[in-house]
Amino acid sequence: MHNPANLDVIYIDNHLLVVRKPAGMLVQGDRTGDISLLDYGKAYVKAAFNKPGDAFLGLVHRLDRPTSGVMVFARTSKSAARLSEQFRIQKIGKVYWALVEGKTPREGRMADKLLRAGPSSTVSSKGREAALGFRRLRFERGISWVEVRPKTGRHHQIRVQFAHRGHPVLGDLRYGARIGFPEKSLALHARALTLSHPTLKEEMTFEAAPEAFWPKRFR
């Protein structure tokens, strides 16, 4: 049994479970057999509500394994469908923090076409539209701390679009980073997520602090 005490719960009700995903943890199980955030979430719901059998928990979005931050799960199939639709039509507000190499512009917008090829993605005229907005919060010692607001949700979008412009995310060896990051993670954090509650129809925003090993000057 997975220990539900290991789950960092931000919010829970009859329809939603919002948690803080630690860097390095899978969102959903894969061939490695490692315990996933979904496993911990189901164990938490089962224990908290004394549910017999397996607890339902719907996966409506994902974060890369090395990325930390806000994750939302649906506690009913109806909530899962409604949340999935919000993600599909890009009604979910997403804010990321990233530490990237070099000095970025103070603010700007990136628009590219991204093509996925196996575990990686690349900028390609044959790809799908990818857009984001960003602003630089600080520049220090060759590192830019940027707040990113993706408009689309393409595979590795933030990582690829910044690396394509010479600003790879710290620790992202896949896309050319020269500066590492602790715990084999990336300096990429899902800082906040805004959604319409699937039954209350109220707009809600959830936030999560970055990992403890993030430099204090970039918090």
Side-chain angles (χ1 to χ4, degrees), residues 7-24:
L7 197 69
D8 188 349
V9 177
I10 298 171
Y11 175 86
I12 188 170
D13 64 15
N14 290 333
H15 309 278
L16 301 176
L17 172 64
V18 186
V19 303
R20 179 191 173 282
K21 175 191 173 298

Side-chain angles (χ1 to χ4, degrees), residues 76-148:
T76 67
S77 57
K78 179 183 291 185
S79 295
R82 291 177 176 176
L83 290 170
S84 294
E85 178 64 7
Q86 289 186 52
F87 276 100
R88 188 187 71 81
I89 63 176
Q90 301 171 13
K91 290 295 185 182
I92 301 287
K94 294 174 282 187
V95 177
Y96 284 77
W97 281 356
L99 304 181
V100 303
E101 296 181 12
K103 189 172 186 179
T104 68
R106 186 172 298 277
E107 61 182 21
R109 182 177 183 273
M110 296 181 183
D112 300 289
K113 289 186 176 182
L114 300 188
L115 180 66
R116 182 170 182 174
S120 302
S121 289
T122 186
V123 174
S124 169
S125 60
K126 298 179 181 178
R128 302 172 69 188
E129 296 289 344
L132 60 79
F134 72 92
R135 65 186 180 104
R136 190 181 74 236
L137 303 177
R138 179 177 296 175
F139 174 72
E140 187 176 327
R141 303 178 194 173
I143 296 170
S144 292
W145 172 22
V146 291
E147 181 178 274
V148 186

Side-chain angles (χ1 to χ4, degrees), residues 1 4 15 18 21-22 25 27 37-38 42 48 64 98 100 115 133 149 152 158 173 183 194 199 205 209-210:
M1 174 62 67
H15 309 278
V18 186
K21 175 191 173 298
M25 181 174 285
V27 168
L37 193 64
L38 185 60
K42 288 182 177 181
D64 297 336
V100 303
L115 180 66
R149 295 177 182 267
T152 52
I158 295 172
L173 303 180
E183 307 295 332
T194 300
T199 60
T205 298

